[in-house]
Amino acid sequence: VDSLNGGQLSGFRNKIINGSLLINQRAVSGTVSLSAGVYGHDRFKAGSAGCTYTFATSGVTTTITITAGSLVQVIEGFNVDQTSYIFGWTGTAQARILGGTYGNAPVTLSATAGSNLSVEFGIGTVSKVQVETGTIATPFEQRLVGVELLLCQRYCQPVSTGISAVATSTTQAIFGFPFLVSMRASPSFNVVSGQTVISNGTAFTSTSAGVLVSSSISGASFTIAGFTGLITGSPYLLTGTASSPNIISAEL
């Protein structure tokens, strides 16, 4: 008999990240309409036909209601270390694995160790998503929210306020910052227009989006143009954005 530390009731048995659906770094809200491959809640993206859903949180569990399309999570191959898994969830939605046939929970599967493993939900409600080793479904693993957030940040991080910059001209500044955790790969980058920087109590707002200069798994630098009145060589501080969150992404 396996011990608790090595058996199916050990910690970190859930291969799904953000299975409680609490983490929402992109700050989606209301009726969420996603094009194919676009992410909503952390680690969950729209399937090939897109996805429309709403969501509600009760206690520490978020329930998503999919009204059109499908919602997918791809488990990174580095986390697929066994061949026998069981896939469970709570809700009315049916799900499938690796593009197979939709069915009700729980679903057993044979995986290829080291290969990405995708799970996909159709129309209905979804919460408490879990993929674990073996053939017997165990209670949902509710990890500490801070730990779950760190797991999400391997794939997605916000470009936060408080990043320092230096003006390279009267209209442009360059920013550099380390990532909160090392990312899965050198990330893509989206800093929207409407950024504001501040110096000595004076705010300056850009009309241009950010442009990536360089990035690695550990950090990045980017420029923002479209300011007016910056002092070349002076320091500035990023204080916010006028629209959606700025995101760096190394999603699958």
Side-chain angles (χ1 to χ4, degrees):
V1 178
D2 286 335
S3 68
L4 287 179
N5 280 339
Q8 201 172 4
L9 288 178
S10 60
F12 280 88
R13 66 187 186 277
N14 192 1
K15 301 298 182 180
I16 293 290
I17 296 174
N18 197 25
S20 65
L21 298 162
L22 275 174
I23 310 299
N24 179 17
Q25 293 186 95
R26 294 173 179 85
V28 298
S29 62
T31 299
V32 183
S33 296
L34 306 174
S35 299
V38 174
Y39 280 80
H41 281 68
D42 277 63
R43 301 295 300 119
F44 287 89
K45 66 179 178 180
S48 60
C51 188
T52 302
Y53 69 85
T54 58
F55 62 95
T57 300
S58 177
V60 296
T61 300
T62 295
T63 298
I64 280 178
T65 301
I66 301 169
T67 55
S70 63
L71 203 58
V72 178
Q73 180 165 147
V74 180
I75 302 170
E76 187 177 355
F78 286 125
N79 294 323
V80 181
D81 58 346
Q82 303 290 325
T83 58
S84 178
Y85 288 95
I86 188 163
F87 171 32
W89 64 95
T90 299
T92 62
Q94 291 190 320
R96 63 182 180 177
I97 303 152
L98 293 171
T101 302
Y102 281 102
N104 297 315
V107 177
T108 58
L109 63 142
S110 179
T112 300
S115 296
N116 292 348
L117 177 62
S118 64
V119 298
E120 182 173 11
F121 293 95
I123 292 172
T125 59
V126 181
S127 65
K128 296 185 176 180
V129 184
Q130 184 152 293
V131 171
E132 58 188 310
T133 301
T135 58
I136 299 173
T138 67
F140 178 71
E141 180 183 20
Q142 186 75 50
R143 290 187 286 249
L144 294 174
V145 66
V147 172
E148 206 72 39
L149 177 59
L150 288 174
L151 294 175
C152 291
Q153 287 173 339
R154 174 172 166 80
Y155 305 91
C156 170
Q157 295 181 34
V159 179
S160 304
T161 60
I163 296 171
S164 60
V166 174
T168 56
S169 71
T170 59
T171 60
Q172 180 173 281
I174 186 167
F175 302 75
F177 65 105
F179 298 150
L180 300 170
V181 301
S182 293
M183 302 199 75
R184 181 188 66 84
S186 183
S188 63
F189 187 83
N190 178 40
V191 174
V192 298
S193 59
Q195 304 295 315
T196 298
V197 296
I198 192 168
S199 178
N200 295 324
T202 301
F204 305 84
T205 299
S206 168
T207 58
S208 301
V211 176
L212 182 66
V213 175
S214 65
S215 72
S216 68
I217 64 170
S218 58
S221 62
F222 63 97
T223 59
I224 299 177
F227 294 105
T228 300
L230 301 184
I231 300 174
T232 303
S234 293
Y236 292 85
L237 196 67
L238 184 68
T239 60
T241 174
S243 56
S244 58
N246 306 310
I247 292 293
I248 52 176
S249 174
E251 295 282 11
L252 292 161

